[in-house]
Amino acid sequence: MFNYNEQLALDILRSNAEKVNAELEKIYPEKNGIASVLYEAERYSLLAGGKRIRAALLLESCKMLGGQDCAALPFACAIEMVHTYSLIHDDLPCMDNDDLRRGKPTNHKVYGEAIATLAGDGLLTDAFSVCAMNPHVTGDCAAAAVAILSGAAGSYGMIKGQVIDLYGETHDLSEAELIELHMGKTGAMICASAQLGCLAAGFAPNHEMTEKLTSFAQKIGLVFQIIDDILDVTSTNEELGKNIGSDSESNKTTFLSFFTVEQAYEYAKRLTQDAIDSLDNIEGAEGLINLAQFLCDRKK
């Protein structure tokens, strides 16, 4: 029987974030020279805080399967680099035109649109190098990691979701189209996190356990977005660290286009329980299960 421990979930997030942040500091040290503004802009967004949920999912998946942090950490850094690039680009005036992210001015508000675009480009490209050069896994494993990450981040994953998101600013989306949007824009990278954690632990992409954790990640990824949509209308700028109400201002279809707040919460709870049930009999799954419940219960 699962007993949710919020403090355990918070401790897992904090501990894994500290590990990843320390590695990211090594990858992006402070530098001088003409191009120093690029590295400053990359560090500004990459090290701006955040829960590192994707990295935690990756590291906890690897841990559950008996893998080592040293093998998983480069992949976790790469995931966070791609995620940060997507936030920088998503905030640009040509996309969502946001001026607040994680409680701070967005990258382009500080460094201008050109440098913000290049900072995102740099983070995305560097992420594949970090995966490929992971010194703690075999060459075949590193190559598989690059394939997983590029598939999740590319035209059939996150970018596809972003294009549907833009389309949704001028068109009404069906519930199925909305789910397709979020399975790409948010869910693809969350699934990749679980898959890379399995890979770091020595489990192939087609292994039964990898498929089980991918299914788990798909469910909690959708929960993450449902809760995001709820918080966009029930929270404050200060609590979330970003502008609320932006979806309705852009006339975007959200889960609240189809459900009341209460119904959306119930949907998220059912998905979370399904995800938890799928791991309930797996030894060492307590960390992942607590993270799943945390994502459903989060207030920011």
Side-chain angles (χ1 to χ4, degrees), residues 46-245:
L46 188 62
L47 302 173
K51 301 179 187 69
R52 305 293 191 201
I53 289 167
R54 292 154 188 80
L57 174 59
L58 194 158
L59 291 165
E60 289 300 313
S61 295
C62 181
K63 178 181 176 182
M64 185 188 80
L65 298 175
Q68 300 297 314
D69 273 355
C70 62
L73 272 170
F75 297 159
C77 289
I79 280 283
E80 291 296 334
M81 290 159 66
V82 173
H83 177 55
T84 301
Y85 127 77
S86 74
L87 299 181
I88 294 173
H89 281 200
D90 211 32
D91 290 335
L92 288 169
C94 63
M95 297 284 282
D96 284 350
N97 194 24
D98 277 324
D99 56 13
L100 192 66
R101 174 69 68 176
R102 291 172 174 167
K104 299 170 62 175
T106 47
N107 200 288
H108 68 274
K109 287 292 182 179
V110 178
Y111 297 100
E113 291 179 40
I115 292 297
T117 301
L118 292 169
D121 292 343
L123 289 167
L124 172 64
T125 311
D126 293 345
F128 298 113
S129 175
V130 169
C131 268
M133 297 176 66
N134 186 341
H136 303 289
V137 299
T138 65
D140 286 346
C141 179
V146 171
I148 288 170
L149 185 59
S150 61
S155 299
Y156 298 96
M158 183 170 63
I159 299 300
K160 172 187 174 183
Q162 289 174 321
V163 169
I164 299 173
D165 193 26
L166 287 173
Y167 176 85
E169 291 183 5
T170 55
H171 299 78
D172 290 333
L173 301 178
S174 67
E175 186 179 344
E177 289 169 334
L178 181 66
I179 290 173
E180 182 183 10
L181 185 168
H182 292 307
M183 291 298 286
K185 186 175 179 180
T186 303
M189 290 294 291
I190 289 179
C191 287
S193 299
Q195 291 163 353
L196 289 173
C198 294
L199 196 63
F203 287 74
N206 61 353
H207 192 280
E208 180 184 359
M209 188 59 72
T210 304
E211 292 175 352
K212 186 181 287 286
L213 278 168
T214 299
S215 177
F216 168 83
Q218 285 175 337
K219 293 181 177 68
I220 67 172
L222 200 54
V223 168
F224 185 91
Q225 189 58 53
I226 295 169
I227 299 302
D228 245 20
D229 286 354
I230 292 171
L231 293 176
D232 191 58
V233 300
T234 62
S235 189
T236 65
N237 289 2
E238 292 73 23
E239 287 174 324
L240 286 188
K242 61 180 181 180
N243 293 326
I244 65 163

